[in-house]
Amino acid sequence: MLSIRICLLACLTLLSGLAQAKYDPEQYLYTLMGSTPNPNVNQNGIGIYIYDGVNSMDALGPYRVFKTAGLKTFLIAQQAGTITTNDGLKIQVDKAIDNVAALDILLIPGGALETAAQTQNQPVLDWIKRIDQTTVYTTSVCTGSWVLGAAGLLQGKQATSNWYRAQEVLAKYGASFQQERWVRDGKYWTSAGVSAGIDMALAIVVDLFGGTALNNAYAQAIMLDLEYDPKPPIRGGSVRKTNPKVFGAMQYMYDYYLLPFVQGTP
């Protein structure tokens, strides 16, 4: 009888404690905002390398995700100054590669012909290789994986890229193409085209903050702040979901000016 009374008292004490632990949105907010990335990528920060002809959303989609997550994020160019994206957006960049010796995360966004040109830009490739030696993560969006490949960083890795002849291009650099929105192989993260960079950036946020006692709550708060809940009006947006005739026409268009790059040597 005594043991039953002890168990009953213990249960009542526990229930009383639970009743007192009511949800306080203000306190929960403070708890969320106290979340810190692990590993700490705010030491050297997240650097996004951009160049004339870069796809603006490749760079600015992840930039917005990382900044919303409170991460130290900035843009870098080969030389400081104004960069013009492939849709005519002009961006002032204050940091040049010569002034950046270390990053916690490096992100290379893509484009088209201008990205192909970056695969031949030896000073940039040399800088990427130096930065990669000490990064926590080295990442790319869309055809930015071409640049990582040209720097020799994807050899033997699984990776993804923009859909355009992705298997052929990545094979040139010794990488195995995976038709996924984003792929992680060790410290290397690659994403498919344009909007997939947002998915990858969010996955990185989950990785950095998801191991806390709040589980994925911090990343979920970021998604809500961005109201990120895609709902395309029609089926499409990937090779698997696109009408084969549409796919063929789009590939023909890109072949017109990019096929020589695909067929050339890296």
Side-chain angles (χ1 to χ4, degrees):
M1 180 66 71
L2 182 61
S3 62
I4 294 176
R5 289 182 63 188
I6 291 173
C7 281
L8 183 59
L9 286 171
C11 288
L12 288 172
T13 301
L14 176 61
L15 289 171
S16 176
L18 290 174
Q20 293 175 6
K22 293 181 179 178
Y23 168 67
D24 181 342
E26 181 180 9
Q27 184 57 49
Y28 193 73
L29 175 63
Y30 288 143
T31 303
L32 278 177
M33 294 303 101
S35 300
T36 56
N38 182 29
N40 182 10
V41 295
N42 281 333
Q43 294 180 342
N44 297 310
I46 302 173
I48 300 176
Y49 171 73
I50 65 172
Y51 46 91
D52 284 330
V54 70
N55 187 302
S56 58
M57 191 172 175
D58 281 11
L60 299 182
Y63 179 90
R64 178 61 191 269
V65 171
F66 293 140
K67 292 292 281 188
T68 303
L71 299 175
K72 179 182 177 182
T73 310
F74 47 87
L75 302 175
I76 308 166
Q78 189 166 4
Q79 287 92 30
T82 302
I83 293 297
T84 304
T85 68
N86 63 357
D87 52 5
L89 181 66
K90 295 187 182 299
I91 302 175
Q92 178 65 34
V93 182
D94 298 325
K95 290 184 180 290
I97 60 174
D98 290 343
N99 304 124
V100 179
L103 292 169
D104 295 314
I105 297 178
L106 169 65
L107 187 145
I108 308 295
L113 280 172
E114 295 82 0
T115 310
Q118 291 295 312
T119 69
Q120 308 296 320
N121 189 331
Q122 199 58 49
V124 168
L125 297 180
D126 291 341
W127 174 77
I128 289 173
K129 286 186 280 190
R130 287 196 303 272
I131 293 296
D132 176 69
Q133 291 175 4
T134 56
T135 56
V136 175
Y137 302 132
T138 297
T139 73
S140 66
V141 176
C142 194
T143 54
S145 60
W146 299 357
V147 184
L148 293 187
L153 303 181
L154 297 183
Q155 184 72 38
K157 302 292 183 183
Q158 294 189 349
T160 191
S161 185
N162 174 272
W163 59 267
Y164 173 70
R165 297 194 180 274
Q167 186 168 0
E168 296 171 62
V169 177
L170 290 179
K172 295 201 307 181
Y173 301 118
S176 175
F177 171 61
Q178 306 296 308
Q179 197 170 44
E180 302 291 346
R181 288 285 281 176
W182 55 269
V183 172
R184 180 182 183 182
D185 190 334
K187 77 170 191 175
Y188 298 98
W189 298 68
T190 54
S191 84
V194 194
S195 65
I198 296 175
D199 288 3
M200 183 188 73
L202 286 167
I204 291 172
V205 170
V206 169
D207 184 72
L208 293 173
F209 292 92
T212 67
L214 292 171
N215 297 317
N216 293 332
Y218 189 76
Q220 197 172 67
I222 303 309
M223 292 175 67
L224 182 59
D225 193 62
L226 299 173
E227 201 157 348
Y228 182 73
D229 185 21
K231 187 180 179 181
I234 60 170
R235 179 179 171 82
S238 71
V239 173
R240 294 189 183 105
K241 296 178 180 178
T242 298
N243 182 315
K245 292 181 179 179
V246 175
F247 170 77
M250 292 294 290
Q251 180 163 279
Y252 180 83
M253 178 183 72
Y254 283 112
D255 276 347
Y256 183 77
Y257 54 94
L258 280 172
L259 192 57
F261 165 75
V262 175
Q263 295 177 338
T265 55

